[in-house]
């Protein structure tokens, strides 16, 4: 009887630990996109309030992506020195500082705060996948699903309410609402600082940093896949509404179509990691999301606007699956948590650099050709490039093979 009671107590304690860990991951994920998505709907408020140019206002969404590209390679080594749990905790503190500075109402602090926000988010982007591998290596799929769904839901909600908050109060308050998730996230993260820790060390890694990754076909394929899906997501978010407006759809309807695409990602961001974790290789998933991308972009290219809702659903499914699978590659194609962090930093550094230049280059191409036909062809080319890279990355190999 005593043994049974002791077993039940340990089981309850373990369940509580898993639930608390899951809640901390959900709340942490909510901090990784909300500070970014609140900006787009209120850009005009910020521009008019500070008297800045459209170029500078638009750059507010590019700064964090550039920060991701610059900071991502350094995140694993910083976490190795300070510990994974404390590094992520400090990143939340830095995020709060950035949100506060950004909301104080001056141009210089707006830019400084945005830089700090980009730096802070970089650590979560890179380290969370390896954190799953380190803490619960047998449950990476379900944890990645929870993480990506939480990120998408919170970012969509933040984008939806920021305009209303700015209208009811001011743009500073609208930017500041992102601090709520960060504060609650810190509270729920504190138990992770007190619990059992597993060191993020490279002692068991066969790697040699980026020098090894650059020579690895699998690592390069993961990097290209991450870059191509990032390019597609941020470029679609920036230009799909404009493309549909040019095809005769009113602006309000075009805005809702991009929302449909984002909500279409949610089921795939949850299901894809769970399924991928159980597969020997993930090539069937690649073929599936590639087909969705090609169908969706072909519909947009051919201007079949009567079925625009369907094309956005397809692109949402494709984007959700490709993003989640790209995140899973960091753990599936490595053998240790440190390797996962290094691969994540390597792939995301290049990936977000592509994401940062994608919308600008896409708009420039439209201006040069005075048409959306060639840019839409580029969508198809990038989708095919993503399919090839992801297909290679999906083979049952690691970065050392």
């Amino acid at each position: 009887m005593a043994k049974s009671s002791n077993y039940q107590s340990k089981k309850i304690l373990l369940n509580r630990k898993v639930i608390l860990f899951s809640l901390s991951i959900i709340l942490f994920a909510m901090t990784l996109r909300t500070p970014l998505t609140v900006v787009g709907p209120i850009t005009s408020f910020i521009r008019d309030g500070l008297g800045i140019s459209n170029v500078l206002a638009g750059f507010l969404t590019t700064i964090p992506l550039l920060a991701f590209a610059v900071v991502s390679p350094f995140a694993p080594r910083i976490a190795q020195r300070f510990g994974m749990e404390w590094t992520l905790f400090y990143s939340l503190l830095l995020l709060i500082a950035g949100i506060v500075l950004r909301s104080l109402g001056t141009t210089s602090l707006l830019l400084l705060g945005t830089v700090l926000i980009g730096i802070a988010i970089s650590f979560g982007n890179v380290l969370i996948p390896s954190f799953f591998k380190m803490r619960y290596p047998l449950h990476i799929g379900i944890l990645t699903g929870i993480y990506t769904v939480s990120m998408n839901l919170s970012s969509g909600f933040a984008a939806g309410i920021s305009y209303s908050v700015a209208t009811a109060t001011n743009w500073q308050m609208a930017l500041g609402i992102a601090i709520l998730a960060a504060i609650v996230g810190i509270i729920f993260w504190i138990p992770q600082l007190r619990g059992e820790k597993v060191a993020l060390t490279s002692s068991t890694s066969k790697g040699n940093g980026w020098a090894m990754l650059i020579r690895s076909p699998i690592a390069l394929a993961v990097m290209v896949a991450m870059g191509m899906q990032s390019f597609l997501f941020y470029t679609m978010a920036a230009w799909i509404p404009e493309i549909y407006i040019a095809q005769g759809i009113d602006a309000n309807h075009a805005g809702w179509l991009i929302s449909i695409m984002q909500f279409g990602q949610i089921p795939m961001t949850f299901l894809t990691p769970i399924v991928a974790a159980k597969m020997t290789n993930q090539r069937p998933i690649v073929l599936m999301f590639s087909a969705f991308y090609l169908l969706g972009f072909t519909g947009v290219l051919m201007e079949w606007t009567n079925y625009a809702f369907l094309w956005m659903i397809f692109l949402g499914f494709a984007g959700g699956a490709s993003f989640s699978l790209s995140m899973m590659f960091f753990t599936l194609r490595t053998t240790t948590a440190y390797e996962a962090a290094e691969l994540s930093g390597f792939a995301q550094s290049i990936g977000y650099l592509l994401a940062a230049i994608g919308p600008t280059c896409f708009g420039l191409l439209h201006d040069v050709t005075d048409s959306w036909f060639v840019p839409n062809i580029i969508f198809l080319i990038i989708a095919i490039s993503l399919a090839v890279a992801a297909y290679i990355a999906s083979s049952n190999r690691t970065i050392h093979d």
Side-chain angles (χ1 to χ4, degrees):
M1 181 68 72
K3 289 184 178 180
S4 177
S5 177
N6 187 43
Y7 172 77
Q8 289 296 331
S9 298
K10 288 183 177 179
K11 186 176 180 181
I12 292 172
L13 183 62
L14 178 61
N15 288 339
R16 287 178 178 174
K17 181 180 177 182
V18 172
I19 291 172
L20 185 60
F21 181 79
S22 300
L23 286 173
S24 68
I25 290 301
I26 289 170
L27 289 163
F28 200 105
M30 291 172 64
T31 70
L32 296 179
R33 291 296 178 269
T34 52
L36 308 182
T37 57
V38 295
V39 176
I42 61 170
T43 299
S44 61
F45 289 87
I46 299 171
R47 181 195 62 213
D48 296 341
L50 294 176
I52 59 178
S53 66
N54 282 318
V55 173
L56 185 55
F59 198 55
L60 294 176
T61 58
T62 304
I63 290 174
L65 299 179
L66 295 175
F68 297 166
V70 172
V71 176
S72 293
F74 302 102
R77 300 190 185 280
I78 293 173
Q80 186 181 25
R81 180 172 181 178
F82 295 101
M84 180 78 79
E85 295 86 356
W86 280 102
T87 301
L88 291 171
F89 178 76
Y90 293 142
S91 76
L92 287 175
L93 293 178
L94 185 63
L95 180 67
I96 289 175
I99 293 171
V100 170
L101 290 175
R102 188 177 69 171
S103 305
L104 292 180
T106 69
T107 302
S108 58
L109 291 180
L110 174 69
L111 295 174
L112 176 60
T114 302
V115 170
L116 294 181
I117 287 170
I119 294 172
I121 293 175
S122 299
F123 287 94
N125 283 342
V126 172
L127 297 178
I128 287 294
S130 61
F131 194 48
F132 294 158
K133 192 177 185 75
M134 187 172 68
R135 279 293 189 89
Y136 295 101
L138 300 180
H139 304 285
I140 293 173
I142 185 68
L143 287 171
T144 304
I146 292 171
Y147 165 72
T148 52
V149 167
S150 301
M151 189 189 301
N152 286 334
L153 282 175
S154 60
S155 64
F157 179 74
I161 67 170
S162 63
Y163 184 88
S164 298
V165 172
T167 302
T169 56
N170 53 52
W171 63 265
Q172 296 97 317
M173 187 66 68
L175 288 180
I177 60 175
I179 203 171
L180 298 176
I183 291 173
V184 178
I186 278 186
I187 294 172
F188 275 80
W189 196 258
I190 290 174
Q192 304 305 322
L193 305 178
R194 298 173 178 172
E196 180 182 356
K197 299 177 180 63
V198 181
L200 181 68
T201 64
S202 58
S203 58
T204 59
S205 175
K206 304 174 187 176
N208 187 26
W210 276 37
M212 181 274 294
L213 293 173
I214 290 173
R215 293 194 299 269
S216 167
I218 292 296
L220 291 174
V222 171
M223 179 267 289
V224 173
M226 185 69 194
M228 295 298 99
Q229 71 84 23
S230 298
F231 181 101
L232 288 176
F233 174 77
Y234 286 100
T235 307
M236 283 192 292
W239 292 112
I240 284 290
E242 291 295 323
I243 292 172
Y244 272 135
I245 290 171
Q247 293 179 4
I249 294 178
D250 67 84
N252 184 56
H253 188 192
W256 275 109
L257 285 171
I258 202 70
S259 297
I260 288 168
M261 183 192 76
Q262 291 179 334
F263 284 116
Q265 293 181 352
I266 294 172
M268 300 305 290
T269 54
F270 181 73
L271 294 173
T272 299
I274 298 173
V275 175
K278 297 178 180 179
M279 303 176 75
T280 303
N281 69 67
Q282 294 72 39
R283 286 174 174 173
I285 297 176
V286 176
L287 295 176
M288 176 199 68
F289 74 63
S290 299
F292 281 134
Y293 268 132
L294 294 178
L295 287 170
F297 285 135
T298 298
V300 176
L301 172 68
M302 300 304 294
E303 301 189 17
W304 294 330
T305 53
N306 288 338
Y307 304 99
F309 177 89
L310 184 61
W311 311 139
M312 291 300 98
I313 290 291
F314 285 167
L315 292 175
F317 285 170
S322 60
F323 171 71
S324 294
L325 186 59
S326 294
M327 298 295 289
M328 284 294 291
F329 283 151
F330 304 146
T331 53
L332 293 173
R333 303 284 85 93
T334 55
T335 55
T336 69
Y338 186 79
E339 287 178 358
E342 280 210 319
L343 179 59
S344 177
F346 171 71
Q348 294 197 58
S349 177
I350 306 300
Y352 283 114
L353 182 61
L354 288 171
I357 66 175
T360 302
C361 293
F362 206 80
L364 179 62
L365 188 59
H366 168 259
D367 290 344
V368 169
T369 62
D370 195 27
S371 168
W372 287 113
F373 180 81
V374 174
N376 278 325
I377 293 294
I378 297 298
F379 270 144
L380 288 167
I381 293 172
I382 297 296
I384 293 170
S385 302
L386 168 58
V388 172
Y391 193 84
I392 296 171
S394 293
S395 60
N396 187 23
R397 300 163 59 192
T398 70
I399 55 177
H400 302 295
D401 296 334

